[in-house]
Amino acid sequence: MKRCFDIVIALLTLLLLGIPILTVAILVRIKLGSPVLYSQERPGLNSKIFKIYKFRSMTNECDESGELLPDSKRLTNFGKALRSTSLDELPALWNVIKGDLSLVGPRPLLVEYLPLYNEEQVRRHNVKPGITGWAQVNGRNAISWEQKFIFDAWYVDNYSFLLDIKILLLTVKKVLLKDGIVEDGVATMTKFTGSKL
């Protein structure tokens, strides 16, 4: 039921938002250049690696040694607007159709975090990751990593169709209010370096 729901909602969203998605793609190309889409490897169900797709929200500016500048230097006002409205996430609907993602589940994080999880935190990979999740509607990027993982584990133990509907509705509210988009004092979110516990 969850898989069927994911496919139907993802397809309907892509159809209904076809023109806005095309408009965003054109704006990304004009303001940030190419490529329009950003892809990155992320761990999914059972830690299987897949490529997630998003609209680019940062420039590719590098320093003198060829290293990418910090996020705060590469995140433009246009990129901030994309993130605050979650429009950058729309290409991930293709991941939902492919089966890499669910609409709701623990957010897929960086591959480099895999060896840093403790036994409780790694349970987030016992379900398919999602575009949004319990942690996102309970603080998003404004809460600590430890709290996020507690919310993720809670979802693994309690997920249901009705809970997914509740999370999707709360996500719409969060996006409209632009709540918890970034962590205080940083452009996006500090990197996870392992739990202190």
Side-chain angles (χ1 to χ4, degrees), residues 17-157:
L17 297 182
I19 293 177
I21 289 172
L22 180 61
T23 301
V24 171
I26 293 171
L27 288 172
V28 171
R29 179 66 179 84
I30 293 171
K31 293 181 175 292
L32 298 175
S34 60
V36 170
L37 294 180
Y38 165 79
S39 68
Q40 187 177 52
E41 290 190 336
R42 299 286 176 94
L45 178 63
N46 299 320
S47 301
K48 181 181 178 181
I49 307 301
F50 71 96
K51 275 192 175 181
I52 192 171
Y53 297 95
K54 298 182 179 184
F55 281 123
R56 278 182 62 200
S57 59
M58 296 187 188
T59 67
N60 288 327
E61 293 176 272
C62 297
D63 60 21
E64 295 173 356
S65 61
E67 295 292 322
L68 284 173
L69 293 174
D71 290 355
S72 59
K73 299 287 186 182
R74 297 186 296 119
L75 186 60
T76 64
N77 288 334
F78 173 70
K80 289 177 184 177
L82 279 183
R83 289 185 173 217
S84 68
T85 55
S86 294
L87 289 172
D88 63 317
E89 304 279 355
L90 289 175
L93 290 169
W94 175 243
N95 289 112
V96 174
I97 294 170
K98 285 177 60 187
D100 300 322
L101 287 177
S102 176
L103 291 173
V104 179
R107 286 281 292 170
L109 301 175
L110 299 178
V111 175
E112 66 190 71
Y113 294 169
L114 283 174
L116 302 177
Y117 298 137
N118 60 33
E119 290 183 7
E120 179 67 9
Q121 293 164 349
V122 79
R123 292 200 307 117
R124 70 194 312 279
H125 294 292
N126 290 349
V127 297
K128 194 175 289 186
I131 292 179
T132 187
W134 191 234
Q136 280 60 55
V137 298
N138 282 285
R140 206 170 172 182
N141 288 332
I143 57 176
S144 69
W145 281 112
E146 284 71 21
Q147 188 59 61
K148 281 185 182 183
F149 295 139
I150 289 171
F151 285 135
D152 288 343
W154 184 91
Y155 177 81
V156 170
D157 294 334

